[in-house]
Amino acid sequence: MEQLSSVLPLQGTEVSSDRVFNVWGDVGVGKSTFISEFRESKLLSKEKVLWIQPTRKEDTLDTIPEFIRACSESVRYPSSPNKEKKISERLGSVERGKINPIVSDDSLLITRSDIAKQKKPYVNQAAAASVGRTEVARDDIEINVGLGESKANNHAEAFLDALPLKSLGTDLTIIYLQKFEKLSVTIVDWLRDYVFPAASRGPYRRSLILLLESTEPLQFAYPNESWGEWVKKVQDFRLYPLIEDDCKSLGKGLGIDNNALDYLPIKSLCYPDAMQKAVNALKNCQRSTAVKFLDSLPTPDQLKVAGLSLPEVVHADEISIIFGESEGTSVYNWFKQLPDNQAQVSSSGKAFVLNDGLRCEAISRFANQAQFKEYAKSWKPMGVFTRNIPSRADRAKLLLLAGLNWIDKPLCEKLFEGQSAKILPFITENEECFTRYQDWYHVTERLRENVHVIATALKHPGITTVSKKAERIWNEKFEALSDRSQALESETTLLETEIRSLENHQKEIRTQIRNQSSDTGETSKSESSLLPDWLHFGKKSGGDPNDPKHISSEISRKMNESERKLDELRAELSSIKRELKHPFIYID
């Protein structure tokens, strides 16, 4: 929590302060709990921070008034709870207030006339503006122009006006969007185009930040989202599982015996959502049979069993990451042949599961031994990987892609050829494992690092064969795109020069036409001969090619063709630049 507090501008925002903060991490790592505990912590209770959480409910917020209402209903002020009611009421008055349909840019509300106490309309808008509201009364309906007592012109300004000023004792207002996806496009656009600019400068400037929660960094969580004026004022904060000592402390507090505490971080992987399940398993597991079995083995073999106890499910190829490429299969086969090994073998015979009693006893015996610590360190990336991706088939596909950065359909087809029909749907239809930007896909950041570490440790083809093939394809594509980009830049420059020349000649011709219209005589041939030869487009049926009006028409046609061509070149150039920003491999 101290780390998060050091990241957030709790003492108030400055011009250079970040404004959008994203707390991200694995599913089940405890993001929502962490943020809630941070809000209620002693640390925050000492700060002058207003906390608003409009997306705490399951309902989707579609309109701006709904968003403001949700804000008014979720006001928390940990250091000054007595201020909450007044702030809530101020926000509520904004949601119920009405705005000038002529002046306002962001919303319009119409209410029944019985809401307003005063029916008498103001003389004009200037008189209304002096007091911050205008009412146009009718018997059946009233359009109330203004926002309560606020002099704001629109809901964005009125919303900010309802938030307390830093100069009046509130250093920071945090809008916590636990479920950003619950906001409609209308609300997101309103925040970006109206709230952010008004909060950054002018009379409605506020010390305001957004706090988001997601499973990815902002770049990948919302790849198509723009943060407007705050686009360069964003910061990601990754939340990791608990450290082992904290995990053991919690386990001890929940009644776990000291001689079983070393197994708890292995069983739960220190994820808060798995802690209670692991604690229950430890309280109910029996270890007497495991003690007899282990005592029958020499110490080096007991250590091997402790290594085999790290995975939830033991697969011969996956435990190579623990014992090494040459030893994994032999250790697997050795254990399967041991009598009374207490293993439950899968129907395929390619995997087995050890019970919690044996795993706990074996790990407890060697938890402080250097070799076992090395085993545990080697297994941890695979343990997190199998937790996040339970399907072995999906893990195998992800390891094939371990050396790739951005992936698109043409690359997939070139890399995997006949197998691409199986790989491509896995990529394009799997939001759990991939993020998408237009036609490119990327292994999620919460998986990518572990996938790469595992593939490297296992010397998997995904990090060797596939990656090297992708590198060759990218280098060829990069060279072709770079050459084409240079050619397009040259063509664009030439066309821009040509268009400027045409514009200048068009000005000359139009001046000549205006002069001709005021002169009863014909334009001399000497005047038209001043034009370059390439503007004489040939004689048109029924017209003189030297006639200024004819020349002007031809120049316009030529300009239209050149501008259309320029647009095409720029579009192609923009497409190439996008492709160059999405390399297939990681580039240092």
Side-chain angles (χ1 to χ4, degrees):
M1 289 188 184
E2 288 79 8
Q3 289 180 327
L4 180 59
S5 66
S6 67
V7 169
L8 300 178
L10 297 181
Q11 303 304 316
T13 58
E14 304 294 340
V15 174
S16 59
S17 298
D18 289 327
R19 295 284 199 144
V20 181
F21 297 85
N22 177 47
V23 177
W24 71 281
D26 290 336
V27 175
V29 78
K31 297 182 291 294
S32 298
T33 302
F34 171 77
I35 293 174
S36 296
E37 290 177 352
F38 174 74
R39 182 191 65 205
E40 303 300 328
S41 66
K42 290 183 179 179
L43 188 152
L44 202 65
S45 67
K46 298 176 183 178
E47 305 291 346
K48 298 174 182 178
V49 175
L50 171 63
W51 189 283
I52 300 174
Q53 188 176 340
T55 60
R56 62 180 181 176
K57 297 180 180 179
E58 293 299 321
D59 298 336
T60 299
L61 299 176
D62 293 320
T63 67
I64 295 165
E66 286 178 356
F67 176 83
I68 297 174
R69 185 186 310 124
C71 288
S72 71
E73 295 171 351
S74 59
V75 172
R76 287 282 291 111
Y77 207 131
S79 65
S80 302
N82 57 311
K83 294 181 179 180
E84 293 175 0
K85 183 178 180 181
K86 184 175 181 181
I87 296 172
S88 179
E89 289 174 350
R90 284 174 61 86
L91 285 168
S93 69
V94 173
E95 182 265 321
R96 293 187 297 274
K98 317 303 172 282
I99 55 180
N100 190 330
I102 299 175
V103 177
S104 175
D105 294 319
D106 63 358
S107 178
L108 173 63
L109 295 177
I110 299 176
T111 65
R112 301 295 301 181
S113 59
D114 56 5
I115 293 178
K117 295 180 180 179
Q118 183 178 355
K119 301 291 184 178
K120 183 178 179 181
Y122 292 104
V123 175
N124 54 40
Q125 186 171 336
S130 67
V131 294
R133 78 190 275 136
T134 298
E135 293 175 350
V136 181
R138 282 173 39 184
D139 291 337
D140 58 338
I141 197 168
E142 175 188 9
I143 301 177
N144 181 3
V145 184
L147 288 146
E149 297 179 359
S150 172
K151 296 183 181 181
N153 289 321
N154 56 45
H155 266 102
E157 294 177 353
F159 173 71
L160 293 170
D161 194 43
L163 301 177
L165 287 162
K166 182 179 179 182
S167 60
L168 296 179
T170 299
D171 291 332
L172 182 67
T173 296
I174 297 175
I175 299 181
Y176 170 39
L177 300 176
Q178 180 182 1
K179 300 174 182 177
F180 185 78
E181 64 277 6
K182 293 293 183 181
L183 302 184
S184 67
V185 174
T186 300
I187 295 173
V188 173
D189 289 348
W190 175 70
L191 288 170
R192 180 191 64 233
D193 297 335
Y194 294 100
V195 176
F196 294 175
S200 302
R201 60 184 180 275
Y204 300 98
R205 182 174 65 251
R206 289 295 185 274
S207 184
L208 172 71
I209 66 169
L210 291 189
L211 181 62
L212 310 179
E213 176 186 321
S214 70
T215 57
E216 291 294 309
L218 277 177
Q219 176 189 359
F220 301 110
Y222 310 108
N224 299 312
E225 193 56 65
S226 168
W227 304 102
E229 292 194 8
W230 292 358
V231 68
K232 294 183 179 180
K233 297 183 177 183
V234 300
Q235 187 170 161
D236 289 300
F237 181 89
R238 184 168 187 179
L239 189 63
Y240 291 93
L242 300 171
I243 61 174
E244 287 194 10
D245 287 345
D246 288 345
C247 183
K248 291 177 183 179
S249 295
L250 286 173
K252 190 172 184 178
L254 292 171
I256 299 300
D257 293 336
N258 288 336
N259 60 357
L261 285 176
D262 289 317
Y263 177 52
L264 185 59
I266 303 298
K267 176 71 175 175
S268 67
L269 291 169
C270 298
Y271 281 84
D273 72 330
M275 283 284 294
Q276 190 60 56
K277 182 180 178 181
V279 167
N280 292 337
L282 280 173
K283 287 181 176 179
N284 296 323
C285 76
Q286 300 295 321
R287 296 163 61 178
S288 56
T289 306
V291 170
K292 292 180 182 179
F293 172 69
L294 290 171
D295 286 345
S296 69
L297 301 175
T299 300
D301 288 348
Q302 291 182 38
L303 178 59
K304 290 180 184 178
V305 176
L308 288 170
S309 298
L310 289 167
E312 285 281 344
V313 181
V314 183
H315 293 277
D317 56 343
E318 291 184 344
I319 61 172
S320 294
I321 200 170
I322 300 174
F323 300 103
E325 185 179 5
S326 59
E327 294 295 321
T329 302
S330 62
V331 171
Y332 180 88
N333 292 331
W334 162 79
F335 184 82
K336 280 183 64 177
Q337 295 172 1
L338 288 177
D340 302 323
N341 61 20
Q342 305 174 59
Q344 294 182 354
V345 181
S346 68
S347 58
S348 65
K350 296 180 180 180
F352 60 79
V353 177
L354 301 183
N355 62 56
D356 284 315
L358 178 57
R359 294 179 69 198
C360 180
E361 180 63 29
I363 288 172
S364 297
R365 292 187 179 197
F366 296 93
N368 296 318
Q369 205 251 25
Q371 184 61 63
F372 178 78
K373 287 182 178 180
E374 192 63 32
Y375 286 164
K377 181 180 178 181
S378 299
W379 173 254
K380 189 171 183 179
M382 181 66 87
V384 174
F385 186 38
T386 54
R387 171 200 179 271
N388 290 333
I389 308 297
S391 167
R392 181 168 160 80
D394 287 352
R395 294 200 299 271
K397 293 186 181 77
L398 282 167
L399 289 172
L400 272 177
L401 307 172
L404 305 182
N405 188 357
W406 291 97
I407 310 164
D408 61 8
K409 182 178 179 181
L411 172 66
C412 192
E413 291 174 343
K414 288 180 180 179
L415 281 178
F416 302 109
E417 299 176 351
Q419 295 298 313
S420 65
K422 296 180 180 179
I423 300 292
L424 191 59
F426 171 71
I427 296 172
T428 59
E429 299 172 10
N430 195 334
E431 294 182 0
E432 181 184 7
C433 298
F434 297 90
T435 54
R436 177 183 179 181
Y437 177 73
Q438 295 183 352
D439 294 328
W440 293 279
Y441 296 83
H442 186 278
V443 176
T444 62
E445 283 298 292
R446 58 193 173 83
L447 296 177
R448 185 182 63 81
E449 183 178 354
N450 284 336
V451 170
H452 192 272
V453 168
I454 293 164
T456 301
L458 295 177
K459 298 179 181 179
H460 193 278
I463 210 70
T464 55
T465 308
V466 174
S467 180
K468 289 179 179 178
K469 187 175 180 181
E471 184 176 6
R472 289 195 299 272
I473 294 171
W474 173 252
N475 288 338
E476 292 172 2
K477 183 172 184 177
F478 179 81
E479 184 176 352
L481 289 174
S482 298
D483 290 344
R484 180 57 181 158
S485 178
Q486 291 179 5
L488 287 171
E489 292 279 8
S490 298
E491 290 182 54
T492 299
T493 301
L494 288 173
L495 264 179
E496 288 172 343
T497 302
E498 180 180 323
I499 290 171
R500 283 195 296 271
S501 178
L502 285 169
E503 289 173 343
N504 291 334
H505 287 303
Q506 184 71 290
K507 291 177 182 178
E508 294 177 9
I509 289 297
R510 287 176 177 172
T511 299
Q512 185 177 344
I513 292 172
R514 285 195 297 272
N515 293 337
Q516 187 183 51
S517 65
S518 62
D519 190 355
T520 56
E522 293 184 356
T523 304
S524 66
K525 290 184 179 181
S526 61
E527 288 177 323
S528 62
S529 65
L530 294 174
L531 299 173
D533 291 340
W534 63 275
L535 281 176
H536 293 269
F537 297 97
K539 189 169 183 177
K540 201 171 184 179
S541 177
D544 182 357
N546 291 323
D547 180 61
K549 292 182 179 180
H550 174 76
I551 294 173
S552 177
S553 176
E554 290 297 322
I555 291 175
S556 296
R557 182 184 63 79
K558 180 68 174 178
M559 284 177 61
N560 289 337
E561 290 179 358
S562 298
E563 288 171 349
R564 178 181 55 78
K565 179 64 175 175
L566 183 61
D567 289 342
E568 292 174 356
L569 294 178
R570 285 173 174 169
E572 185 180 353
L573 187 59
S574 177
S575 176
I576 288 174
K577 289 180 178 179
R578 280 197 303 273
E579 291 194 63
L580 291 173
K581 288 181 180 179
H582 296 83
F584 302 150
I585 56 174
Y586 288 94
I587 301 172
D588 296 331

